[in-house]
Amino acid sequence: LVTQYTHHAAAREFGLSEIHFDPAQGFSVVGSSLPVMIRLGWKDFDVKLNQFVALWPAMRSRGTTPIYVDTNVSGKVIAKYDH
C-alpha cells in the first residue's frame, strides 16, 4: 500500500501522514495536508484512489471537509460529514 500510495496522484496532492489497518475494514490512509481518513479496504487501491481524486472537488464543494471517505464499497464512494 505504501508504494502504491506514494506513486499515486493523491499522495502528490495530499501527502501521507498515517496508514491505519483494521482487521475488519482493511487499510486507510490520512494525508498530511488533508486530515481526512480515506478508507481503502483490502485491494484495488489504485482504482479506489482514482475514484477519490475524481470526486474530491465535488466533496469539497459542500464547503466543509468530510470526516472520512469510504471507497471500500463496490462502485461507490461514501463521504461522511460532521453535520
Side-chain angles (χ1 to χ4, degrees), residues 1-82:
L1 173 60
V2 173
T3 301
Q4 285 181 304
Y5 184 78
T6 55
H7 289 97
H8 196 277
R12 290 188 291 279
E13 186 170 348
F14 305 117
L16 179 61
S17 175
E18 303 170 26
I19 295 177
H20 296 265
F21 174 73
D22 180 283
Q25 295 184 3
F27 293 95
S28 301
V29 296
V30 178
S32 55
S33 68
L34 177 69
V36 174
M37 180 174 285
I38 306 166
R39 296 179 180 172
L40 298 170
W42 301 99
K43 60 183 179 175
D44 300 325
F45 302 128
D46 285 333
V47 171
K48 293 172 181 178
L49 288 167
N50 288 340
Q51 291 172 326
F52 169 74
V53 169
L55 292 172
W56 180 245
M59 288 183 247
R60 287 291 297 172
S61 71
R62 292 186 55 146
T64 185
T65 302
I67 298 169
Y68 68 83
V69 177
D70 192 343
T71 63
N72 198 30
V73 179
S74 182
K76 296 181 182 181
V77 175
I78 300 168
K80 169 66 173 149
Y81 293 89
D82 193 19

